[in-house]
Amino acid sequence: MSSPVWHPFTQHGLEEAIPEIVSASGAWLDCADGTRLLDGISSWWVITHGHCEPRIAAAIAEQAGQLDQMIFAGYTHPQAEALARSLVALTPGLDHVFFSDSGSTAVEVALKMALGHWHNRGEARHRILVLEHSYHGDTIGAMSVGARSVFNRAYEPLLFDVATVPFPAERAQQDCLDALEQLCRAPDKPAAFIVEPLILGAGGMLVYSPDILRQMAAICAQHDVLFVADEVMTGWGRTGTLFACEQAGVTPDLMCLAKGLTGGAVPLAATLASAAIFESHRSNDRARMFFHSSSFTANPICCAAANANLDIWREEDVLGRVDALGAALDEGLSQFAAHSRLHNARRIGAIGAIDLRAGDSGYLSDVAPKLRASALSEGLLLRPLGNTIYLMPPYCTTPAEIARAFAAIGNAIDALTG
Ligand SMILES: *Cc1c(COP(=O)(O)O)cnc(C)c1O
């Protein structure tokens, strides 16, 4: 049956099967054909507690019957006010909250705030520093600060120039810090440095230490370059703390949140800003206001879902679940320790990853789609990044389900390598 739907990151010319999901609960997705899939990647990194979490679903239903949508320019509503207060209370040093709809827009907003900050202060600073292998979203600005690759080759001439700091790989940590320092000192002063704290997700689940994160933030602070933490993937417990920056004791000037902000149920994003950045836009001159909005800014239903998510964080031992999940991931990864085709096992919080030794490890190699198809036939939703196989399951996933996921991964690798 042909469909008019054009799917994201999908090559329709390859005619790979597109399963239809009709319902979900906990860590499981139910397919139209009656089979069930274990959601090994939290439906692309968004679901935190589990699918159709009852408190979040109830909050959505209640809000949908009370106030669905309203203009947020010049008007406000109780759900947004409560949510903003809660977010500020959770992030010392960040006093203002700007809402949008996706991780990409949260990043665009952060970049525009950084540029607006220097513009309003009368300093010409336009350069953005980025970390090698980064991913910050798929809109033009977010792509500009992300790694250049086959993903954005067609648009590359229109992406703005950035200066790239090498990734702090194990033996190249000082190179990374030195390069950052040099760029911060340059006469062409940068406006901001944007990073994914502790782990680069789409870049291949590349981890680096809290100490490096702390030193990167310190260099920026020393040179008065804004430090932007893109916690779109790392936020909401994924790395073992509510936010990854906490592990380094780092207070960014701007922080981007999305994905798990609503527990993953509905789209909502927030860019948190320091008082200094807010103050550089506040004035009796309308030309200095922050020129950004989207139709669904701070949608009340989405804000209600986020408030319900925050209630769960306040009242339940979410990090205890993340720890237990982490232990189960360690256990599963340890089974692959002696596997001749696998190496570089790593785990942070509720994310476990391992690399497959394969000839061609690029995104376009056949390895990832073959593993994906093989796992699918085993009842596991997996989406390897090139030759990097990872699990990032919802926090409700049990050790038995994790063991099952690793068994499916083992079988998928055997099927691939023969
Ligand atoms: C997913 C992701 C984004 C983009 O979020 P969308 O909601 O998909 O636009 C930005 N930054 C990071 C680190 C991400 O993982």
Side-chain angles (χ1 to χ4, degrees):
M1 190 179 67
S2 85
S3 159
V5 176
W6 192 341
H7 287 266
F9 280 90
T10 299
Q11 179 44 276
H12 286 274
L14 290 173
E15 293 172 12
E16 285 159 6
I18 297 188
E20 190 173 23
I21 313 288
V22 291
S23 60
S25 68
W28 292 88
L29 300 161
D30 307 304
C31 302
D33 67 3
T35 57
R36 298 183 84 205
L37 290 177
L38 183 61
D39 190 352
I41 62 161
S42 295
S43 285
W44 236 353
W45 318 351
V46 298
I47 298 291
T48 50
H49 313 294
H51 283 278
C52 299
E53 204 290 327
R55 298 174 71 171
I56 295 174
I60 291 170
E62 193 183 334
Q63 188 62 39
Q66 186 170 336
L67 174 65
D68 51 357
Q69 159 68 8
M70 52 165 269
I71 179 172
F72 205 63
Y75 297 84
T76 195
H77 59 80
Q79 294 288 359
E81 293 295 329
L83 178 56
R85 271 176 227 286
S86 299
L87 291 175
V88 163
L90 289 171
T91 53
L94 294 170
D95 296 344
H96 299 275
V97 181
F98 191 94
F99 292 108
S100 62
D101 326 293
S102 72
S104 301
T105 53
V107 167
E108 299 281 349
V109 163
L111 296 174
K112 285 176 70 174
M113 282 179 176
L115 296 171
H117 174 73
W118 297 116
H119 177 82
N120 288 343
R121 290 163 61 118
E123 281 190 51
R125 293 211 208 177
H126 304 105
R127 205 140 68 119
I128 309 289
L129 310 182
V130 307
L131 202 54
E132 185 189 21
H133 306 309
S134 292
Y135 175 79
H136 296 289
D138 284 336
T139 52
I140 296 282
M143 276 194 294
S144 296
V145 292
R148 303 294 191 265
S149 72
V150 63
F151 296 115
N152 43 47
R153 203 145 290 153
Y155 332 112
E156 196 170 338
L158 295 185
L159 302 185
F160 60 74
D161 260 342
V162 293
T164 304
V165 175
F167 178 77
E170 220 158 287
R171 271 173 294 279
Q173 295 177 341
Q174 198 55 46
D175 295 348
C176 163
L177 297 173
D178 291 348
L180 177 60
E181 171 113 46
Q182 203 168 11
L183 286 164
C184 286
R185 275 181 197 280
D188 175 15
K189 271 228 146 214
F193 178 41
I194 181 167
V195 296
E196 293 166 85
L198 301 188
I199 176 166
L200 275 56
M205 299 299 158
L206 305 175
V207 296
Y208 63 95
S209 73
D211 184 51
I212 296 296
L213 179 62
R214 179 170 29 242
Q215 293 189 62
M216 292 192 303
I219 291 170
C220 289
Q222 191 190 338
H223 295 281
D224 202 19
V225 170
L226 298 175
F227 190 76
V228 184
D230 177 354
E231 293 247 17
V232 169
M233 187 275 269
T234 51
W236 309 105
R238 211 61 85 169
T239 68
T241 44
L242 179 62
F243 301 118
C245 281
E246 291 172 17
Q247 293 179 44
V250 161
T251 300
D253 298 292
L254 290 157
M255 181 190 263
C256 306
L257 299 174
K259 292 191 172 131
L261 171 55
T262 60
V266 285
L268 182 69
T271 304
L272 276 65
S274 68
I277 293 171
F278 179 79
E279 288 306 325
S280 64
H281 288 81
R282 192 163 76 112
S283 158
N284 52 18
D285 176 2
R286 286 185 200 280
R288 290 170 64 123
M289 74 170 85
F290 183 53
F291 290 103
H292 193 96
S293 175
S294 55
S295 303
F296 292 102
T297 302
N299 172 267
I301 298 169
C302 300
C303 288
N307 281 319
N309 172 44
L310 285 174
D311 286 343
I312 291 170
W313 273 94
R314 266 188 285 267
E315 293 160 28
E316 300 180 21
D317 182 19
V318 181
L319 291 180
R321 280 176 215 148
V322 170
D323 282 348
L325 185 52
L329 290 169
D330 280 345
E331 164 84 29
L333 287 169
S334 70
Q335 291 163 23
F336 289 141
H339 198 293
S340 61
R341 300 298 301 271
L342 296 171
H343 68 131
N344 198 18
R346 53 211 184 269
R347 200 269 300 174
I348 178 170
I351 307 168
I354 197 160
D355 297 338
L356 183 68
R357 292 182 209 276
D360 176 8
S361 59
Y363 185 85
L364 299 184
S365 84
D366 264 357
V367 172
K370 279 185 179 155
L371 282 173
R372 198 201 309 164
S374 210
L376 178 64
S377 69
E378 301 262 342
L380 173 67
L381 195 164
L382 200 66
R383 201 180 161 96
L385 292 155
N387 66 330
T388 298
I389 301 164
Y390 71 91
L391 285 174
M392 193 192 294
Y395 308 155
C396 63
T397 313
T398 65
E401 288 165 339
I402 294 298
R404 190 179 161 145
F406 275 100
I409 290 172
N411 291 343
I413 292 165
D414 290 348
L416 183 79
T417 57

